[in-house]
Amino acid sequence: MVEWFDSTILDLFRSIQSPVLTPLFKLFTLIGEAGAVWIAVGILLLAGRSSRKAGIAVLLSLIFCLLTGNAFLKNVVARPRPCWRAQDIEMLIAIPRDYSFPSGHTMSSFAAAVSVYIWNKKWGTAALAGAIIIAVSRLYFYVHYPTDILAGAVIGVFLAMVSWWIINKVTIYNAKKGGKHESKKQREN
């Protein structure tokens, strides 16, 4: 059932490849490469006082994605990419060398986009739209199965939520610690 689903969706994307869509999807797949655009977003958010927590959440979730997806799951699952199995397909981008599951582009994009969305719905909606296009570009170029994309999105959302949970716990802890400190000062006076 999973193989049928994966191959049907991949065949659909292969059937829509065109000289008009290819440059657009190349741009989005390049934007998602190594999470570079999301790292830049995280750094930009760190610069603003009101967005600092969001910047930390973006960067923390990206670190979690690197460790969870690229360092662990890809090597444990060791799923060959669709383009490795179907070598008769003309590739429109360079063939990736690492394993397929989960999609790192998708995982990091959803982790960063959801981190932005939790902070600001308007900017987060735009980030989620970008994350979706990046994910779709990986199907278009035949370098991931749809289940790699779905898993990447789910894991990315989860890691963004974990990042925000940690940040909120640390913020609450620091606020309580700071409150106790000030109460001691007040007692001294």
Side-chain angles (χ1 to χ4, degrees):
M1 179 77 169
V2 171
E3 278 186 42
W4 174 85
F5 172 77
D6 279 342
S7 63
T8 301
I9 300 296
L10 280 176
D11 288 345
L12 171 71
F13 276 98
R14 219 169 117 224
S15 74
I16 65 165
Q17 288 179 343
S18 74
V20 174
L21 290 176
T22 298
L24 176 68
F25 281 125
K26 275 187 180 178
L27 173 65
F28 275 93
T29 219
L30 179 65
I31 286 171
E33 195 68 36
V37 71
W38 304 116
I39 293 168
V41 166
I43 291 169
L44 285 172
L45 290 171
L46 281 176
R49 185 179 172 124
S50 66
S51 61
R52 192 159 294 137
K53 279 172 66 172
I56 293 168
V58 167
L59 296 173
L60 184 60
S61 67
L62 291 173
I63 291 168
F64 288 159
C65 287
L66 178 67
L67 297 173
T68 303
N70 293 56
F72 181 69
L73 286 174
K74 280 188 185 267
N75 296 310
V76 169
V77 176
R79 184 181 197 187
R81 290 180 180 267
C83 57
W84 295 357
R85 292 181 171 171
Q87 296 178 353
D88 59 329
I89 291 175
E90 180 185 346
M91 293 301 292
L92 302 172
I93 61 171
I95 298 172
R97 295 180 186 190
D98 61 341
Y99 290 111
S100 191
F101 183 91
S103 167
H105 278 70
T106 304
M107 187 173 38
S108 62
S109 295
F110 273 84
V114 167
S115 293
V116 173
Y117 186 84
I118 291 169
W119 165 69
N120 181 298
K121 306 289 184 257
K122 180 181 171 184
W123 289 104
T125 300
L128 282 168
I132 290 167
I133 297 170
I134 289 169
V136 167
S137 76
R138 306 308 282 168
L139 297 171
Y140 182 87
F141 290 119
Y142 216 80
V143 293
H144 280 292
Y145 294 101
T147 46
D148 300 338
I149 301 297
L150 291 172
V154 168
I155 295 167
V157 168
F158 175 75
L159 294 175
M161 294 170 74
V162 167
S163 297
W164 272 103
W165 180 83
I166 290 170
I167 290 164
N168 287 330
K169 287 293 182 188
V170 168
T171 302
I172 290 168
Y173 174 78
N174 286 339
K176 285 181 180 179
K177 186 178 173 183
K180 288 179 184 177
H181 181 63
E182 286 192 21
S183 62
K184 285 181 181 179
K185 281 184 179 179
Q186 289 173 345
R187 283 187 289 222
E188 290 174 1
N189 291 331

